[in-house]
Amino acid sequence: MNVIHLGSVDSTNNYLRYLVEQDPDLETFTIVTADSQTQGKGQRGNKWDSEPGMNLHFSMLLRPDLLAAPKARLFDINVISALAVREALNDRISRSRVFIKWPNDILVEDKKIAGILTENQFSGFTLEYSIVGIGVNVNQTDFHDYPRSATSLAIESEGEVDILQLSKDIAKGIRKRIDNLPASADDLRNKYHQHLYKLGDSEWYKTSDGEIFKGTIQHVEENGLLIIRDDATGKNRSFAFKQVQFMTGEN
């Protein structure tokens, strides 16, 4: 794999997108990492602050051929990335449970340790490429200014972690799952659900129009819609990204 390491950059996703725009034939699975990001961003447009040299800032170029995998869907890219990150972190944490929080935050118990931002480029209805950006709290231990409960590998594993090796393990996990996608889409989704945060638990949620309700996550659809059963009515409700959020622990 082609790995490009930078000292500082506004965003590894932005830099990798620039490289692809300059060279449309850029090698698939090219990776950009950086010691620090000046404009790191996460889901919902949130800024991701990180101490320089202490955490993983990682973006990877994917060109999944979804047409060659009849059962595959666009959201499977998120599924693959989340599973690869979760696996790499779980291998380094023995005493806590690591969860995937829809659509693709990674939590240790209830504390955020990683986030994933997938950006897709289309030509008409055809997916040209995807850039998967991953931020992991690795060796940072002070999160006093972070707006929600956070943790890191150093805290959870009680020791400093090799950031380079972590990036290699995540990249390997993503590539393995992408290569096997045509035959393993159903299995990937099953594993995603096995580790889905609050699956089957009754929690309070807030919709994008301000409605607050109590509900229970049932599953995530193949297209990425989150299905929550409304506890008051007993009926299932479907939500796309940004249409609903957890009331507990959100920014």
Side-chain angles (χ1 to χ4, degrees), residues 7-76:
S8 178
V9 69
D10 61 344
S11 159
T12 55
N13 267 30
N14 290 347
Y15 189 83
L16 185 50
R17 187 184 307 106
Y18 168 78
L19 293 180
V20 180
E21 289 172 352
Q22 297 301 305
D23 179 10
D25 296 322
L26 186 69
E27 180 182 340
T28 303
F29 301 118
T30 290
I31 294 168
V32 173
T33 66
D35 292 332
S36 67
Q37 293 185 122
T38 59
Q39 297 178 27
K41 57 185 178 179
Q43 299 286 10
R44 302 185 189 274
N46 295 323
K47 190 175 186 297
W48 185 58
D49 291 315
S50 172
E51 292 181 8
M54 301 297 286
N55 302 310
L56 177 62
H57 318 93
F58 169 106
S59 294
M60 188 172 189
L61 175 64
L62 306 178
R63 290 192 177 92
D65 187 357
L66 299 182
L67 295 178
K71 290 188 176 182
R73 300 292 183 269
L74 186 63
F75 188 71
D76 289 330

Side-chain angles (χ1 to χ4, degrees), residues 27-249:
E27 180 182 340
T28 303
F29 301 118
T30 290
I31 294 168
V32 173
T33 66
D35 292 332
S36 67
Q37 293 185 122
T38 59
Q39 297 178 27
K41 57 185 178 179
Q43 299 286 10
R44 302 185 189 274
N46 295 323
K47 190 175 186 297
W48 185 58
D49 291 315
S50 172
E51 292 181 8
M54 301 297 286
N55 302 310
L56 177 62
H57 318 93
F58 169 106
S59 294
M60 188 172 189
L61 175 64
L62 306 178
R63 290 192 177 92
D65 187 357
L66 299 182
L67 295 178
K71 290 188 176 182
R73 300 292 183 269
L74 186 63
F75 188 71
D76 289 330
I77 299 171
N78 297 57
V79 170
I80 284 169
S81 304
L83 286 172
V85 175
R86 184 205 166 273
E87 180 181 64
L89 301 186
N90 194 64
D91 286 346
R92 291 164 168 81
I93 300 173
S94 59
R95 60 185 176 82
S96 301
R97 293 195 65 189
V98 183
F99 296 100
I100 299 169
K101 179 171 173 284
W102 179 88
N104 42 24
D105 277 347
I106 308 298
L107 308 184
V108 177
E109 302 297 345
D110 294 302
K111 297 180 180 180
K112 183 171 179 177
I113 192 170
I116 303 168
L117 179 63
T118 302
E119 298 178 302
N120 301 307
Q121 179 65 40
F122 289 88
S123 176
F125 294 104
T126 301
L127 178 65
E128 287 191 346
Y129 62 84
S130 298
I131 292 177
V132 176
I134 297 168
V136 182
N137 298 328
V138 183
N139 292 318
Q140 184 172 336
T141 57
D142 183 354
F143 297 97
H144 293 166
D145 295 328
Y146 198 64
R148 60 165 292 179
S149 183
T151 190
S152 68
L153 276 173
I155 294 172
E156 299 299 329
S157 63
E158 300 178 346
E160 189 169 306
V161 174
D162 186 329
I163 297 176
L164 177 60
Q165 186 59 52
L166 175 64
S167 68
K168 290 179 179 178
D169 291 345
I170 292 174
K172 182 180 178 180
I174 292 175
R175 182 164 187 172
K176 176 183 68 176
R177 289 172 173 87
I178 287 288
D179 289 342
N180 293 332
L181 181 58
S184 62
D186 290 337
D187 183 53
L188 289 169
R189 295 178 198 133
N190 288 336
K191 289 181 178 177
Y192 183 89
H193 281 90
Q194 287 173 17
H195 305 296
L196 188 62
Y197 181 66
K198 296 298 183 181
L199 178 67
D201 294 343
S202 182
E203 298 288 339
W204 288 99
Y205 296 90
K206 183 177 181 179
T207 67
S208 55
D209 59 8
E211 177 194 358
I212 296 174
F213 73 100
K214 198 170 190 181
T216 305
I217 292 178
Q218 302 299 296
H219 63 277
V220 177
E221 296 277 14
E222 294 179 0
N223 58 7
L225 291 178
L226 179 67
I227 307 302
I228 302 176
R229 186 190 66 218
D230 190 314
D231 289 355
T233 66
K235 295 182 179 180
N236 285 347
R237 304 174 64 176
S238 63
F239 298 94
F241 174 56
K242 295 187 178 180
Q243 290 183 340
V244 70
Q245 65 185 68
F246 288 83
M247 290 291 292
T248 304

